[in-house]
Amino acid sequence: MKSGVRRLIADGTVLPAHPLALHADRTLDRTHQRALTRYYIDAGSGGIAVGVHTTQFAIRDVGLYRPVLELAAETALHWTSRPLALVAGLAGPTQQAVAEAEMARGIGYHAGLLSLAAMTAASEDEIIAHCETVARAIPLVGFYLQPAVGGVVLSADFWRRFAGIDNVIAIKIAPFNRYRTLDVLRGVCAAGALDRIALYTGNDDHILLDLTLPFDLRDKGVTVRTHFRGGLLGHWSVWTASAIRQFERCKAARNQASIPADLLALDARVTDCNSAFFDVANNFHGCIAGCHEVLRRQGLMQGIWCLDPGEGLSPGQLQEIDRVTSEHADLSDDDFVAANLDRWLA
C-alpha cells in the first residue's frame, strides 16, 4: 500500500459506500455509475468502498463484481491525482473471499472490507481462521455488520483475536448497537492495537457522536482513551459534500475541553434523515432503494432499481423521505450537485 493511502486511512477519512446505478432493465448504467464516483471525489471523500452492501452483494451473482470495481478504479485514476483509498467489499466463504481479494488487489484496490454474512453457522475459531487466510491476500478492514441485514454477533474476545492479525488496518463498526460497538473497542484495546488499527464508524444511527466523543476503555486497571478516526457509511453515499463538512467539524472538536452543543444536537437531525433513507420503520428493507431515491432526485441516478426486483421502497418510506428532505433541507448538497452534474455525466 502506498504510504499516502496508508496514512490517509490511519488518520481517518470519509469513505462513502458506493451504490450501483442501473438501467430499467437492471443492466449496469456506466454513465451514472461513473458520475457517482466523480461526485464522491469532488465532494472531498478520502476514498470509496465498492462491492459492499450498498453496492448490493448480488453483483456477484450477475457477473458485475469485476466490472463495477474496475469502473470505479479507472474513474478515480483519471479524475484526480490526490491519494484515494480504494476499498473493495469481500464476501462469501473463504475460497470466494480470497479470490475476490486477489482480484481487487490486481485491479488496484488497497484494502478489503470483509463481510462475514456467509459465516453465520461458523464458530469464532473458524471465523478467525477465515479472516487470517483472507488477510494474506490483501490488507483487511474488519466489518461488524448489524444482524438485521445479515451480520453475525461476535464477542469482545473475537475482536481481540481479530485485532491480532498482522494485516488488519481498520475496522468498520456497524452493529447499530452501543453494547456491541463497545465490544469491538474493548477487544482492540485488549489486543494493544488501538495505535495500529483505525476505528471507522458504520453506525448510521449514531454517526456524528461516534466521530466526536471520546471513548474511555479500561484494561487491566488502566484507562485508555480512543476515538473513531473516520467513517465508512452507506448514509454517506448521499449528501456527501455536506457529510464531509460535518466530519471536519467533528474532527476539529475532538480533544477539546468542550464540544459545541450545536454539533452534539446535529447528530439527532442526521439520524432522523437516516431513519427515512434506511427505512428503519421496516427493519431496513428499503435501505438501498432509499439512498437511490435521494440520488435519483439529484439526477445522479436515473431510477431506484435494485438487482433484486423485490427490493425497493417500503410502504410509507417515500413520504418519510419527503419529510426529512423538507425538514432538513440545509443538510443536503443539492446546490453542489446541480452545479457539477453535467460535468460528472460527461
Side-chain angles (χ1 to χ4, degrees):
M1 187 186 297
K2 294 178 181 178
S3 60
V5 173
R6 182 176 290 278
R7 188 163 54 249
L8 183 67
I9 294 171
D11 289 346
T13 190
V14 169
L15 296 172
H18 205 305
L20 180 69
L22 297 173
H23 295 293
D25 63 359
R26 293 183 166 79
T27 57
L28 178 62
D29 179 348
R30 297 180 69 89
T31 298
H32 286 82
Q33 188 74 6
R34 192 163 42 236
L36 285 168
T37 304
R38 292 169 173 175
Y39 162 50
Y40 299 134
I41 293 170
D42 284 357
S45 297
I48 47 176
V50 188
V52 295
H53 177 253
T54 304
T55 323
Q56 301 175 53
F57 288 135
I59 58 173
R60 294 157 174 84
D61 302 327
V62 295
L64 283 178
Y65 182 75
R66 177 186 280 276
V68 168
L69 262 65
E70 286 179 337
L71 182 57
E74 291 167 4
T75 302
L77 178 66
H78 293 101
W79 196 251
T80 185
S81 59
R82 66 180 173 88
L84 281 179
L86 300 182
V87 179
L90 311 175
T94 306
Q95 185 176 358
Q96 176 185 332
V98 169
E100 290 184 358
E102 292 172 345
M103 182 188 301
R105 192 186 65 216
I107 294 169
Y109 282 74
H110 304 106
L113 178 70
L114 184 59
S115 169
L116 300 176
M119 309 295 289
T120 53
S123 68
E124 290 193 351
D125 287 345
E126 291 169 328
I127 298 174
I128 287 293
H130 168 76
C131 296
E132 289 173 339
T133 302
V134 180
R136 297 187 191 107
I138 198 169
L140 215 55
V141 178
F143 187 10
Y144 200 175
L145 177 65
Q146 59 157 325
V149 290
V152 181
V153 176
L154 298 161
S155 69
D157 189 61
F158 169 86
W159 292 109
R160 177 189 62 79
R161 296 170 65 192
F162 180 83
I165 299 172
D166 286 342
N167 211 21
V168 171
I169 60 170
I171 301 174
K172 170 181 173 171
I173 304 172
F176 289 27
N177 181 298
R178 291 292 90 194
Y179 303 109
R180 292 171 185 162
T181 294
L182 288 172
D183 282 343
V184 184
L185 271 61
R186 286 174 48 229
V188 178
C189 180
L194 286 170
D195 290 337
R196 179 173 62 84
I197 295 176
L199 302 175
Y200 275 66
T201 184
N203 287 319
D204 299 73
D205 62 340
H206 214 260
I207 298 169
L208 298 192
L209 292 182
D210 268 0
L211 291 170
T212 303
L213 298 178
F215 290 81
D216 275 359
L217 307 167
R218 296 280 289 178
D219 185 54
K220 299 180 176 65
V222 177
T223 300
V224 178
R225 177 162 293 183
T226 193
H227 288 85
F228 279 91
R229 298 188 201 174
L232 196 168
L233 293 148
H235 182 88
W236 280 353
S237 69
V238 304
W239 295 357
T240 310
S242 176
I244 290 167
R245 291 193 296 270
Q246 294 164 14
F247 172 73
E248 293 300 333
R249 288 181 64 189
C250 295
K251 203 169 180 180
R254 293 177 199 162
N255 299 314
Q256 300 300 313
S258 61
I259 297 171
D262 286 348
L263 178 57
L264 297 175
L266 183 58
D267 180 80
R269 296 182 61 204
V270 172
T271 303
D272 190 30
C273 293
N274 183 264
S275 71
F277 302 161
F278 267 49
D279 193 26
V280 172
N282 296 284
N283 204 28
F284 307 99
H285 171 80
C287 61
I288 293 175
C291 293
H292 287 187
E293 173 62 16
V294 179
L295 296 167
R296 184 199 64 78
R297 295 180 185 201
Q298 294 181 313
L300 283 160
M301 280 189 165
Q302 292 190 91
I304 66 169
W305 306 291
C306 296
L307 289 171
D308 178 358
E311 193 169 348
L313 296 175
S314 295
Q317 188 180 2
L318 194 62
Q319 291 73 24
E320 275 295 286
I321 293 174
D322 288 341
R323 177 185 68 80
V324 299
T325 54
S326 173
E327 292 180 356
H328 305 291
D330 58 310
L331 301 184
S332 79
D333 61 359
D334 290 351
D335 291 343
F336 171 71
V337 173
N340 291 280
L341 184 61
D342 288 344
R343 188 168 58 88
W344 296 332
L345 289 170

